[in-house]
Amino acid sequence: MLIPIVCISLLAYADSVLPSAYDVVIHEIMPRPSPVVGLPPCEYIELRNRSNHMVQLQDWRIAVNKREVTLPAYTLLPDSLVVLCGAAAADSAGIHNIMGIGRFPVLPDDSGLVVLYNNSRKVIHAVAYNPSWYGVSRNGKAGYSLEMADANCPCTGKSAWNAAPGSPGRYNTSVVTVAGFSGPDLYYAAVTDSQQLSICFNMAIDSVTAGDPARYQLSGNRITGATVLPPLFNTVRLQTASPLQPGNTYIITTKGITDCLQKHTGIKTAIALALPQLPTPQD
């Protein structure tokens, strides 16, 4: 009887393929489990395999802010779920698709950055939650999890998430279709130094299009380099052809920047910026 078991295990591992970004997503988060609302008082992170192939999670990493932990071997089947939690909490959940992990990182109550890396340390998915994700009526309400309401929109941030009583290991109860949302808009811009600036979008963007310097126009200057920064992929570092001049106001304009669903917007594509100067008396 040992041979079939070993064969099945090896087959599952062999059939798993190298996943792309968003193939596996952070699907549900429980940052504030107490006081409880029908669930054990345990923090957890739920992952979902959105792809049509098996994914082996061995040596993947889950990071919460600056703390991270390595995942053990686990074959995540297509369109299936697994719950990650502390080792002592696994038995209390009463579900089979759960992994208890030693030194499981603490989820901050209010705001946190959760990142899923594969075994090559490539970012597969990341979310940065805050109290506004709970909505007005459940702002920071304890005992409620944050659920991804539409798994087909993994890079749209807050608009694809809802507060819910929680359904660890089961498909989310607050599933809706996120329709009508706009593509990535410019959020703010900042000058890092005289030849480098950064621009931030309101959601994750496609790294291929956003990494093309031709997608940006800078008044009175020229963009020669563009780098999309992990793990949220909503910030781009831009290099200018010549130094920015103090006292001048520049306009940075984007063209055809898309999100992970290849959706773009024409609403907020330009923003003003300037090189900061030290003030003189009475300024």
Side-chain angles (χ1 to χ4, degrees):
M1 295 300 293
L2 291 177
I3 295 177
I5 295 176
V6 173
C7 289
I8 291 172
S9 176
L10 291 175
L11 180 62
Y13 190 88
D15 284 351
S16 64
V17 299
L18 188 65
S20 301
Y22 308 112
D23 276 359
V24 180
V25 296
I26 299 160
H27 195 237
E28 185 174 338
I29 305 168
M30 175 60 88
R32 297 183 63 187
S34 299
V36 298
V37 182
L39 291 175
C42 306
E43 295 181 356
Y44 62 82
I45 298 170
E46 179 185 82
L47 305 180
R48 179 176 177 177
N49 183 358
R50 297 174 60 245
S51 73
N52 57 7
H53 52 261
M54 290 183 263
V55 175
Q56 174 54 245
L57 297 179
Q58 185 171 12
D59 294 330
W60 284 38
R61 289 178 175 266
I62 194 81
V64 180
N65 292 344
K66 294 183 179 181
R67 293 190 59 189
E68 64 180 54
V69 65
T70 302
L71 303 186
Y74 188 93
T75 301
L76 193 58
L77 298 177
D79 198 28
S80 65
L81 310 167
V82 65
V83 176
L84 313 177
C85 65
D91 292 338
S92 64
I95 57 176
H96 69 280
N97 51 338
I98 189 168
M99 285 199 293
I101 299 172
R103 302 178 64 84
F104 187 72
V106 175
L107 291 165
D109 288 352
D110 294 324
S111 302
L113 172 63
V114 184
V115 186
L116 177 66
Y117 299 96
N118 70 4
N119 57 358
S120 300
R121 204 165 180 79
K122 175 185 176 183
V123 176
I124 300 299
H125 190 214
V127 295
Y129 66 89
N130 60 63
S132 70
W133 283 34
Y134 286 89
V136 176
S137 61
R138 292 175 178 168
N139 189 15
K141 188 169 183 180
Y144 281 81
S145 73
L146 290 169
E147 293 186 343
M148 183 180 283
D150 190 345
N152 293 318
C153 298
C155 59
T156 56
K158 174 184 173 182
S159 62
W161 288 73
N162 284 325
S167 54
R170 304 185 303 276
Y171 291 104
N172 290 342
T173 57
S174 59
V175 173
V176 296
T177 298
V178 178
F181 70 90
S182 64
D185 288 327
L186 273 177
Y187 187 46
Y188 67 81
V191 177
T192 307
D193 58 44
S194 63
Q195 280 192 262
Q196 197 170 91
L197 53 98
S198 62
I199 58 175
C200 183
F201 293 83
N202 64 336
M203 63 179 66
I205 53 179
D206 176 62
S207 297
V208 176
T209 57
D212 180 4
R215 301 280 180 172
Y216 310 92
Q217 292 181 343
L218 181 64
S219 60
N221 209 312
R222 185 167 56 88
I223 299 298
T224 58
T227 305
V228 185
L229 303 181
L232 294 175
F233 298 104
N234 63 347
T235 302
V236 185
R237 185 173 59 229
L238 300 174
Q239 187 76 25
T240 63
S242 57
L244 302 177
Q245 299 303 310
N248 290 351
T249 299
Y250 298 88
I251 304 295
I252 182 73
T253 304
T254 65
K255 179 176 64 177
I257 302 297
T258 65
D259 63 12
C260 68
L261 304 177
Q262 303 305 309
K263 186 171 184 177
H264 62 84
T265 181
I267 300 175
K268 297 178 182 178
T269 58
I271 197 167
L273 54 96
L275 183 66
Q277 301 178 74
L278 291 174
T280 58
Q282 307 302 317
D283 276 357

